[in-house]
Amino acid sequence: MILERQEKEGWGTKVIDRLSADLREAFPDMQGLSTRNLKYMRAFAAAWPDREIVQGTLAQITWYHNIALLEKVRDPHVRLWYARRGLEEGWSRNVLAMQIESRLHDRQGKAINNFALTLPPGDSDMAAQVFKDPYLFDFLGTADPRREREVELALTDHIQRFLLELGAGFAFVGRQVHLEFADSDYYLDLLFYHLRLRCYIVIELKSVPFDPRFVGTLNMYLSAVDDQLRHSDDESSIGLLLCRKGSKIEVEYALRGFQKPMGVASWETKLVKDLPEELQRSLPSVAEIEAELSREEVGK
């Protein structure tokens, strides 16, 4: 009605102000009739002309979720993606806003993987959508962990935020999970179970760029988990290697030929992500800093 009135009477007639005053006078006990809220209602009606979408997805999330979508997302297709995803995963308004700010839609399903060759078609599509790239560990603050064990400890200290970044369906099993075979002890960095995929998820963390040798180790761990932990009702275990970037073609070549389903993605902390690109390039790497410190130590 507001859109129709504004089209007929023009924007300068204060249609919303007059309507708000009339409504509050007619319904003094009713909340949500302020000028500001009516403007949100007008924006909502303009953004969603398709009644089927409104009655389907949007009617099932709160008005505050809808306001967040209107304020933070311009593209209607992307806005609907977040609405549907938020409904599926039960996001609060704050979590929805956080996922939008982290551009989840650009990261979801982007991990390089071999799922199409190692899993049945339906399972491979679902598994591909479970993983993202990059993973944003903003909750680590400005910390820049240099060793895998430091990353593990930080993630498990913030397990709720870590699970939120991983996405719905992940159940934490443990860190440094012990496996024994060939008269040797091995320890998985992080072990999860995915409730929708019905399988174990082995996550290996690296604080360095991708190295093809990491894939061989992860493949070995997956074989051991399938033999020692997997129940007869479980699907094949899936591996996720998280490292500090890497060449896409190198990752694809490294995964080729392996029979175990694996994905490779990068991870970032707030410190690196927030710096302008030109400043990131001008900063020394961890390896360069350590080399310089070693030279100073030798000089002493």
Side-chain angles (χ1 to χ4, degrees), residues 38 52 239 249 257 269:
L38 290 184
E52 193 172 315
I249 189 67
T269 60

Side-chain angles (χ1 to χ4, degrees), residues 73 134 194 199 298:
V73 186
H194 199 278
C199 68
V298 171

Side-chain angles (χ1 to χ4, degrees), residues 59-80:
Q60 298 181 62
I61 60 178
T62 73
W63 178 238
Y64 296 104
H65 283 73
N66 278 296
I67 290 176
L69 290 169
L70 290 171
E71 289 181 332
K72 297 179 179 295
V73 186
R74 292 186 178 182
D75 188 313
H77 300 291
V78 176
R79 192 187 298 132
L80 184 58

Side-chain angles (χ1 to χ4, degrees), residues 164-181:
L164 181 61
E165 176 61 11
L166 288 176
F170 282 86
F172 181 58
V173 177
R175 64 173 289 271
Q176 289 300 301
V177 176
H178 177 244
L179 295 174
E180 184 178 354
F181 52 91

Side-chain angles (χ1 to χ4, degrees), residues 149-200:
R149 195 63 61 88
E150 293 178 24
V151 183
E152 290 170 31
L153 287 171
L155 293 180
T156 50
D157 284 345
H158 299 82
I159 190 64
Q160 188 173 2
R161 295 290 300 277
F162 184 31
L163 286 169
L164 181 61
E165 176 61 11
L166 288 176
F170 282 86
F172 181 58
V173 177
R175 64 173 289 271
Q176 289 300 301
V177 176
H178 177 244
L179 295 174
E180 184 178 354
F181 52 91
D183 296 324
S184 298
D185 293 312
Y186 297 90
Y187 296 89
L188 309 180
D189 288 346
L190 295 163
L191 184 63
F192 291 83
Y193 190 88
H194 199 278
L195 302 177
R196 290 177 61 194
L197 295 174
R198 296 292 178 185
C199 68
Y200 282 106

Side-chain angles (χ1 to χ4, degrees), residues 250-271:
E250 188 178 32
V251 173
E252 290 176 345
Y253 281 162
L255 288 175
R256 190 178 298 177
F258 281 99
Q259 299 303 309
K260 294 294 183 184
M262 292 180 281
V264 179
S266 59
W267 62 272
E268 301 173 359
T269 60
K270 189 176 183 64
L271 175 65

Side-chain angles (χ1 to χ4, degrees), residues 52 71 101 133 135 142 145 175 199 202-204 220 237 272 286:
E52 193 172 315
E71 289 181 332
E101 289 167 6
D133 185 34
Y135 284 84
T142 56
R175 64 173 289 271
C199 68
V202 178
I203 297 183
E204 280 294 294
M220 179 181 69
S237 301
V272 174
V286 170

